[in-house]
Structures are given as C-alpha cells and as structure tokens.
Amino acid sequence: MTTENTEIDQEIDDLTLEQNANGEQLIVEELGVEEQLTQDLAKEKDKYLRLFAEFENYKRRTSKERIELFKTANQEVLLAMLPVLDDFDRAIVEISKSEDEILLKGVELIHEKLKNTLVSKGLEQVEVKAGDAFDADFAEAITQIPAPSDKMKGKIVDVLEKGYKLGDKIIRFPKVVIGQ
C-alpha cells in the first residue's frame, strides 16, 4: 500500500503543480486581458472626447452660420431695392427744381418711409464724400479726372452713386471720381 500511496501522493502533487501552473497562467492571462481592456477603454475614451469636442465645434459653427445668415438674409431684397432708393434721390433733386412744394413734400415723405424701412432691416449708408482720401476697400473708382487743386490729388472729387452695407459687409460700394 505504501507504493500505491506514494504513487497517489505523487499524482496529487503533480495535479497540484499543474493547477498552480494553470492558476498562475490564468493570473498572467487575466493581467494581460486587464491591460488590454484598460488600453481599449483609454482608446474609447479618447474617441469619445474627440467626438464630443467635434460636436461642440459643429454646434458653435452652425450657430455662428445661422446668426450670419439671419443678418444677411435680406441682402438680395435690399440690393433689389437700392435702385428704387437711388431713383427717389434723383426724383427729389429734379422735383426741388420745380416750384411745387406739395409734390416735393409728398415725394420726400415716401422717400423717408422707404429709407427708414430699409434701415430697420439693417441697411446702412457707407459714408464717403468729396474731399475724403480714396480707399479702395470702401469705394470703387469709376474714373480719374485732373484734380481741381493740388490738395485734391488722390482724393474723392465726386460721389456718383451711394454705397450701402448690411451689418459689417458692404453690399454695394460707392462709385466715386478721384482726382489725379
């Protein structure tokens, strides 16, 4: 029996060693899996943060674009109305030459009403006048003429057509004549 006991004891010891070896192997494998899971979690967190930041940028950009769109939504309509405003300006000049005060007053009232409506929609006149220094960023030079005096060289001599802006954007540049 002792030989049998010794063989059985040996088999039990061998099984214990295998279990220990397998147990250690399982622990090593669990550590490897845990490291892999930690790395995967870090990658997913990074993806999430990047996606979240990208979405925030998208929201900010679309909000800014929407605000800009609202500011300039009327641009086409306002551009279409500018020739009418110009015609009113010319009509007032011609009517003021006549002696019909009532007609002049009526046309001026309609002109002011149209102008105030356009201003309430965001239209502003670009302020340039004769004697100002010419700046190509704010005016369009139609032609150059000999300057009436030396101090008018490179300056605006006459404004042929008024310019207008909508918010900060110029939608029609003033057309000017500059002195050489």
Side-chain angles (χ1 to χ4, degrees):
M1 280 237 318
T2 47
T3 349
E4 283 181 26
N5 282 342
T6 313
E7 287 178 19
I8 292 173
D9 286 340
Q10 185 66 32
E11 286 180 25
I12 291 173
D13 287 341
D14 288 343
L15 282 173
T16 307
L17 286 175
E18 286 178 20
Q19 287 176 352
N20 283 342
N22 287 339
E24 287 175 4
Q25 195 173 24
L26 285 176
I27 291 172
V28 170
E29 285 178 7
E30 285 177 10
L31 287 176
V33 169
E34 191 174 312
E35 285 178 17
Q36 183 64 36
L37 288 174
T38 305
Q39 289 174 353
D40 289 347
L41 179 63
K43 285 179 186 175
E44 292 302 319
K45 254 185 176 178
D46 185 55
K47 280 183 187 176
Y48 170 75
L49 289 174
R50 289 179 188 275
L51 184 62
F52 184 76
E54 190 177 322
F55 182 67
E56 286 298 316
N57 288 338
Y58 167 78
K59 282 188 349 186
R60 193 176 311 117
R61 185 176 59 247
T62 55
S63 175
K64 188 176 182 179
E65 287 171 355
R66 191 176 309 130
I67 289 170
E68 190 65 31
L69 180 65
F70 285 136
K71 284 182 182 177
T72 58
N74 296 330
Q75 181 174 339
E76 287 183 35
V77 174
L78 293 175
L79 275 171
M81 295 302 293
L82 292 180
V84 176
L85 195 59
D86 293 338
D87 290 344
F88 264 109
D89 289 337
R90 286 189 285 275
I92 287 174
V93 169
E94 291 303 315
I95 292 173
S96 64
K97 291 178 184 176
S98 75
E99 308 224 347
D100 194 347
E101 292 289 324
I102 296 172
L103 178 63
L104 179 62
K105 185 79 171 170
V107 172
E108 284 176 344
L109 287 173
I110 296 169
H111 176 254
E112 281 303 310
K113 189 174 187 177
L114 175 63
K115 195 167 151 184
N116 290 338
T117 302
L118 296 177
V119 166
S120 72
K121 299 300 178 190
L123 187 72
E124 296 177 48
Q125 185 174 331
V126 176
E127 294 297 325
V128 292
K129 57 186 178 294
D132 288 349
F134 175 71
D135 186 354
D137 292 335
F138 297 105
E140 181 182 341
I142 298 298
T143 188
Q144 293 181 354
I145 61 170
S149 65
D150 284 341
K151 67 179 188 174
M152 289 299 284
K153 286 185 179 181
K155 296 192 176 190
I156 297 172
V157 176
D158 190 20
V159 179
L160 300 177
E161 187 176 74
K162 294 178 184 177
Y164 294 94
K165 61 184 180 175
L166 183 59
D168 293 334
K169 182 181 177 188
I170 296 178
I171 60 173
R172 185 174 86 179
F173 288 89
K175 293 179 176 41
V176 298
V177 175
I178 56 175
Q180 282 183 328

